[in-house]
Amino acid sequence: MTNSPFATTFSFNADKQVIESLYHHVVSAIMVEGDGFSDALKRNACLYEFMSIISAINDTYLSFPIAETTINPIAKSVMSYLFQNYFEDISIPEVASYCHIDQSYLIRLFKKQYNLTPKRALILIRLNQAVQLLLYSSLSITDIVYEVGFHSQVVFDRAFKKNFNVSPTEFRQTFLTYENNIIDHREDELLKLVKSKPARPSAT
């Protein structure tokens, strides 16, 4: 625990599907009955699976560090613009024009606030959206590339692998395999629970 993210204050952002997945892990742990050693191991296994998902989610969602406690309104406006228009073919000069400030000044101001350039922030936003689509949509990777604002799958693949150390295809396949294993495990536990319930007495 000392070497895990849970040793300090820990939080993450996740959508409804992720929350539901975590909920099912809690249910799986509750369904393990008995006081034997093997039962305790099963409950611990569910706990570790639960914690590993939270940790993986935290690693997946790319963060934007803020350098100062007070957010500069111009930098905030730029970040908001990037989030609202990431899927468009936008450029930093266009963002500067939108904010009515010089491009060099914009980059300097933004980097001071968020410790990264507007261009880098745009890439991270697009990758974050791509992760959501890879996990929770049936869109092909080619469609996702253009859906999130990239205009080349080669560029997208390179950026994705640089940030997550796996290709988009490997990322999606790993998640689906993991989810299928969890579903199979949950169905097995449900079957055991149903079979263990006493039969309802017949009406006389």
Side-chain angles (χ1 to χ4, degrees):
M1 290 294 288
T2 302
N3 297 322
S4 76
F6 304 96
T8 57
T9 301
F10 182 77
S11 64
F12 68 94
N13 296 314
D15 54 25
K16 182 180 178 181
Q17 291 94 332
V18 174
I19 298 299
E20 288 177 348
S21 176
L22 292 172
Y23 167 77
H24 286 307
H25 282 74
V26 175
V27 172
S28 296
I30 294 173
M31 287 170 58
V32 178
E33 300 178 351
D35 300 320
F37 182 65
S38 63
D39 299 313
L41 288 177
K42 288 179 182 178
R43 281 189 287 270
N44 281 334
C46 292
L47 171 63
Y48 281 120
E49 286 180 352
F50 178 87
M51 293 169 64
S52 70
I53 291 176
I54 293 180
S55 181
I57 292 170
N58 186 66
D59 292 339
T60 299
Y61 284 78
L62 300 169
S63 60
F64 301 94
I66 299 177
E68 300 177 355
T69 54
T70 303
I71 299 178
N72 182 284
I74 297 177
K76 182 179 179 181
S77 178
V78 172
M79 183 65 86
S80 176
Y81 182 87
L82 295 178
F83 267 102
Q84 292 173 13
N85 299 277
Y86 67 88
F87 47 86
E88 300 285 355
D89 185 17
I90 60 177
S91 65
I92 303 309
E94 290 175 350
V95 177
S97 176
Y98 167 79
C99 296
H100 306 290
I101 60 175
D102 177 73
Q103 179 181 337
S104 299
Y105 177 64
L106 179 149
I107 294 174
R108 235 178 11 254
L109 189 66
F110 193 92
K111 191 170 184 178
K112 181 181 179 182
Q113 183 72 66
Y114 294 106
N115 292 327
L116 74 171
T117 64
K119 183 178 180 180
R120 176 63 178 159
L122 179 59
I123 291 174
L124 295 181
I125 292 169
R126 286 172 170 169
L127 289 176
N128 274 341
Q129 298 302 318
V131 164
Q132 293 299 302
L133 294 175
L134 285 168
L135 295 182
Y136 306 113
S137 83
S138 58
L139 289 175
S140 69
I141 293 177
T142 301
D143 288 338
I144 290 173
V145 169
Y146 297 101
E147 187 77 17
V148 300
F150 283 94
H151 296 285
S152 165
Q153 185 159 347
V154 173
V155 174
F156 171 71
D157 288 347
R158 188 183 302 124
F160 196 95
K161 193 160 188 175
K162 179 180 179 181
N163 284 278
F164 300 114
N165 297 317
V166 293
S167 70
T169 301
E170 292 169 331
F171 180 86
R172 173 176 266 179
Q173 189 57 49
T174 299
F175 178 81
L176 291 177
T177 300
Y178 180 79
E179 281 294 292
N180 288 335
N181 289 339
I182 294 301
I183 291 172
D184 291 342
H185 170 72
R186 189 159 62 241
E187 289 178 347
D188 289 343
E189 292 299 324
L190 285 170
L191 287 173
K192 290 178 183 177
L193 183 65
V194 171
K195 291 178 180 178
S196 67
K197 286 186 176 296
R200 181 178 297 178
S202 56
T204 56

